[in-house]
Amino acid sequence: MGKGKPFLEVLASAIHEDYRFPFLEIFAFLYVTATFSLASFGITITSLGNTGQVMATANEIAAYGLVSSILSLPLFILIILIFKNIAYGLGNELEKGIIQTYFSYPIKRQKILTAKLISALGVALLLFLGIQISALYILAPEIILPQFGTVLLTYASSLSYPLLIAGIILLLTMKLRRGGISLVVGIVLYFAMSMVSGVLTVIATFTESPLPLQILSTISPSLVAQQYHLGILGDYWTPPLSEVLLFTGVSYVIVAFVYILGYIYFSRRLNL
C-alpha cells in the first residue's frame, strides 16, 4: 500500500458516505436556488434610516448588504449538512467499529481525522463558498470585485460560530460514540445564540455599554461586523474595522482550540 494511499482511501470512503446520491445534488440545488432568489441590492447608507453612526464606507455597506442578503438560508443549509456529516457520519463509524478498522491502516490517527474533516467540513464549505461567490460575481461584479476583502470578511465572521458548534459536536460525538445527542446539542446551541444575542442587546442598550456584545462577539463576530457596517444597535458602539478583524481573529483562535482538543482526544484518548 502506497504511502499516501491509506489517507486517500479514508478520504474517499468518507466523501462517499457523507455525500451519497442524492445528498450532494440536493444541497447544491438548494444553495443555487436560495442564493439567486434571496439576493438584494437595497442596503445603502440612506436606507439605514435612524440607525447609529457607522464606520464603514458606502461601498463596504453595499457589498456587506449584498452578501448578507444571500447568506441566511444557504448558511442554515450548510450548517445542517456539516452537522449531519459530523454527528451521523463519524458517529455511525464509531458505533459500527469502522474507525477501528481505519486504525489498523499504516496511517496516523491525526490523518484519519483530517480525512474525515475534509469530507465533513471542507467539501461542504467548498461547495457553499464556490456557489455563493460565483453567484455574487454574476449578480454584481461592480460591487463585489472592488470590495472583495469585505466579502471575505463577511463570510469569515458569519462562519465562525457554526464552525465552533461543529467542533463541539465533534468532541461530543467522539466522547459519546453516538451522533444523535451531539446533533441535538449542536442545534440547540445554534438557535440559542439568537436568544442570547437578544438578551445581551437589551442589556447593552439599557446600560449604553457595548461590553456584553463585545464578549459575545468573541465567539460570534458576525455581530461586530453587522454593527460596523450597519450600526443598527445605536451610537453606543461604533466599532472600527480593526475591531472587526480583532474579534474575528479571536473567534477563530477559539475555533482552532476546540479542533485541537478534538485531534488530541482522537489521537490519544479515543479507545475503541
Side-chain angles (χ1 to χ4, degrees):
M1 185 177 290
K3 188 174 181 180
K5 191 174 180 181
F7 176 82
L8 295 177
E9 185 176 336
V10 175
L11 177 59
S13 175
I15 292 175
H16 175 73
E17 291 298 322
D18 290 339
Y19 303 99
R20 284 178 177 270
F21 180 83
F23 277 113
L24 187 62
E25 290 77 6
I26 290 175
F27 279 99
F29 173 77
L30 291 174
Y31 285 151
V32 173
T33 304
T35 297
F36 281 96
S37 62
L38 293 174
S40 172
F41 301 85
I43 297 181
T44 62
I45 288 180
T46 55
S47 69
L48 294 179
N50 295 323
T51 57
Q53 180 183 358
V54 296
M55 302 293 289
T57 66
N59 290 334
E60 288 176 330
I61 293 173
Y64 175 82
L66 178 56
V67 175
S68 297
S69 70
I70 67 172
L71 255 180
S72 55
L73 181 57
L75 180 59
F76 181 68
I77 296 171
L78 172 69
I79 290 168
I80 293 174
L81 178 59
I82 290 176
F83 289 4
K84 183 272 296 181
N85 287 346
I86 294 178
Y88 284 111
L90 181 61
N92 286 339
E93 291 189 350
L94 286 169
E95 189 174 353
K96 295 177 180 179
I98 298 175
I99 292 294
Q100 188 174 13
T101 302
Y102 291 151
F103 286 169
S104 66
Y105 288 10
I107 181 176
K108 293 182 179 180
R109 287 191 174 194
Q110 297 95 318
K111 291 187 177 181
I112 295 175
L113 183 57
T114 298
K116 299 296 297 180
L117 290 179
I118 288 175
S119 174
L121 289 172
V123 174
L125 284 171
L126 184 63
L127 177 66
F128 171 76
L129 292 174
I131 291 175
Q132 288 252 304
I133 293 177
S134 297
L136 288 171
Y137 178 76
I138 293 171
L139 291 169
E142 71 283 357
I143 296 177
I144 297 305
L145 291 181
Q147 296 297 327
F148 197 65
T150 299
V151 173
L152 294 180
L153 182 58
T154 303
Y155 280 112
S157 62
S158 299
L159 288 169
S160 175
Y161 185 63
L163 290 176
L164 175 62
I165 300 178
I168 294 172
I169 291 176
L170 175 67
L171 287 171
L172 287 175
T173 300
M174 290 190 293
K175 180 66 176 178
L176 301 175
R177 313 290 175 87
R178 297 177 183 274
I181 296 177
S182 58
L183 180 62
V184 171
V185 171
I187 293 173
V188 170
L189 286 175
Y190 177 75
F191 285 106
M193 174 55 68
S194 60
M195 293 185 290
V196 173
S197 177
V199 172
L200 293 183
T201 298
V202 172
I203 295 174
T205 301
F206 275 100
T207 61
E208 294 189 350
S209 170
L211 182 60
L213 299 177
Q214 289 173 331
I215 294 174
L216 187 61
S217 292
T218 58
I219 61 172
S220 182
S222 59
L223 187 61
V224 65
Q226 181 186 60
Q227 184 64 8
Y228 168 74
H229 290 97
L230 305 181
I232 61 175
L233 300 179
D235 291 332
Y236 64 85
W237 189 22
T238 55
L241 179 60
S242 59
E243 192 169 335
V244 181
L245 294 172
L246 174 63
F247 281 113
T248 303
V250 169
S251 72
Y252 276 96
V253 169
I254 296 173
V255 170
F257 177 73
V258 172
Y259 282 94
I260 289 172
L261 288 179
Y263 270 93
I264 292 173
Y265 187 87
F266 190 84
S267 301
R268 301 179 182 179
R269 300 185 61 86
L270 183 61
N271 297 314
L272 300 175

